[in-house]
Amino acid sequence: MIGRLRFFQRTAVYQCRCLCHHSGEEVRVRFAPSPTGEIHLGGLRTALYNYLFARANNGTFILRIEDTDQTRLQKGTQEKITDILKWVGITIDEGLYYCFTRLQKGTQEKITDILKWVGITIDEGPDNPGDYGPYIQRKKAYRCFCSERRLKMLKKEALLQGETPKYDNNCRHLNDEEIEKKLENNAPFAIRFKLDDFTETWPDLVYGPISYNTATIEGDPVILKSDGFPTYHFANVVDDHFMRITHVLRGQEWLVSTTKHILMYNAFDWSPPQFAHLPLLLGKGNKKLSKRQGDFRIQNFKDHTYFPETILNLLTENGSGFKVKNIVGMNMKELIDNFDLSAMNRHSSHLNVERAMDINKVHLIRKLSDARQRDVMVQQFLEIYQKEHVIKSTSMIEPSTEYVMHVLEEMALEDLLKDEYEYLWSAPDVIALPEHTDKDLALSIIRHVIALFRKSGRVVEKAVTDDIKEICEKNDILYAICMKVLRRCLTPTQKGPSIGEIVATLGRNTTLQRLEHALKYISDKC
């Protein structure tokens, strides 16, 4: 057989991995992000669906870092990835694995060693003559000596012709003499994989049968770069095989590449895993999510006090894959119990990030309905607020459960730590009259408003404003002066929301308490 290749496990890293593998048909999935930045909504969606599939099938979830592109690595990224996964409730069964970080820069003299390291043993070739030569150009991989300049020119010419740029497979056809001459001149080279020119059909667990002739779409791909590092596509196939990955769940954008991956599995004489491609996540204007559309980093949502469950629901609300239609309000366990990959939609999912606030409130109400969670949350709110803000007032309130629930019903959770809402958690202890305001006038305003709220039930922002205006008109009081007096009574800061909003968020009882305190303070000390 011309150019026979044996592929086998060679490194100690992979040997260690295999000791941990379970026999049988156990489901094994992996999340394999690149350490080139923080994890965002799209990346977390991939991790989440892999995790749900693993847990729903009593399988194993593996974290592997794809570090093949050494030029784009960012220090500390892997720690951020694991922190986010833990925050949303994804437990890593195996990992943290890395791809090929121990591979050092190679030269042409080391290529044979590199091929052996990734599991390729050359039975016959230029160094081991057999009965059927020549060899290298007839095997599944060959040396490519094309310079960056030539590759750029090919791309430029294709674009000028309105064609999709692809490699022209020039070096596939080099003869032995040409190859030897280039090697003698120490010409740098990469290793390319020879694509078979036929249509490969494979079953996708979401989209059904998929057919592509990859050779018509692109030229022979590089699998080992001239610096000795493998490309993502090659490393991906090798790692998945030796880690015994049974199912690969990833974004729809990888559909075209899957045929190329399957051809590599065939070249290795390996059985490929089963593939399931997830529909695209679209943002505003039916465009794929991008940084230009907003900050989709998960850390950003975490910093803005969203619950982990909120992010899980945001990602799964329109993506389907569940036995029931409405998953809003579900926690991780409930999502796992209801997960069904066969129910996955094939059309793209529209991600409405603005829905996060509404979903967050659903989970907030659910948490507050549980006495244990409610008490913990109240304490956490106060601790976070005291840590993040310098309180100007010494009168930090001790909020009751009813008060906290009222505030949370009125406001978005992410607003609670903003400076302008300091009045929610601290009351003015020293009350100074506005400039040019008579003490008797201030007391009169406070008494009128106290009388108003004693008669009222639940306060509403617009109604409060209208009622106070009516008081001012009947008693010949300037509305602006009235607002200044009330602000001094209700909040320790002189800037922020309107009096109507302040009263609505504080609630009737807290508003009355502060006004009565102000009435006594001004009467005794002003």
Side-chain angles (χ1 to χ4, degrees), residues 24 102 135 338 402:
R102 81 178 186 91
Y135 296 98
N338 285 279
E402 291 75 17

Side-chain angles (χ1 to χ4, degrees), residues 145-195:
F145 297 92
C146 291
S147 65
E148 282 294 320
R149 184 173 180 274
R150 182 179 188 277
L151 295 176
K152 288 180 180 179
M153 288 298 297
L154 285 175
K155 181 178 180 180
K156 183 177 180 180
E157 290 175 6
L159 293 174
L160 288 174
Q161 298 296 324
E163 301 173 353
T164 301
K166 68 175 185 176
Y167 180 57
D168 60 357
N169 298 344
N170 176 69
C171 290
R172 181 198 278 208
H173 309 293
L174 294 177
N175 59 39
D176 289 350
E177 183 179 346
E178 291 171 316
I179 293 173
E180 288 302 322
K181 185 176 180 180
K182 290 180 181 294
L183 291 176
E184 288 174 3
N185 293 327
N186 294 321
F189 61 86
I191 301 293
R192 288 185 181 271
F193 176 73
K194 187 183 292 185
L195 293 176

Side-chain angles (χ1 to χ4, degrees), residues 440-496:
D440 291 337
L441 175 60
L443 292 173
S444 175
I445 291 172
I446 296 170
R447 290 190 182 102
H448 282 302
V449 177
I450 287 175
L452 168 67
F453 290 139
R454 281 178 177 168
K455 295 178 183 177
S456 304
R458 181 181 175 87
V459 291
V460 180
E461 182 177 341
K462 187 178 186 306
V464 167
T465 303
D466 292 342
D467 290 341
I468 292 176
K469 283 182 178 179
E470 185 177 344
I471 289 174
C472 292
E473 291 173 0
K474 287 183 178 180
N475 296 278
D476 196 22
I477 299 171
L478 288 175
Y479 180 73
I481 294 295
C482 180
M483 292 294 103
K484 288 180 180 179
V485 170
L486 292 177
R487 186 175 294 278
R488 297 290 177 98
C489 298
L490 298 174
T491 173
T493 61
Q494 298 312 302
K495 293 182 179 180

Side-chain angles (χ1 to χ4, degrees), residues 200-225:
E200 178 79 17
T201 301
W202 49 273
D204 187 85
L205 296 179
V206 173
Y207 288 90
I210 301 292
S211 298
Y212 279 116
N213 184 347
T214 308
T216 64
I217 302 171
E218 62 177 290
D220 293 339
V222 172
I223 58 174
L224 283 172
K225 295 175 282 188

Side-chain angles (χ1 to χ4, degrees), residues 428-433 439 443 514-526:
D429 53 350
V430 176
I431 301 172
L433 294 176
K439 174 180 177 178
L443 292 173
R514 294 192 183 185
L515 289 175
E516 288 166 353
H517 166 74
L519 185 66
K520 185 176 186 305
Y521 184 93
I522 294 173
S523 297
D524 296 344
K525 299 183 180 181
C526 291

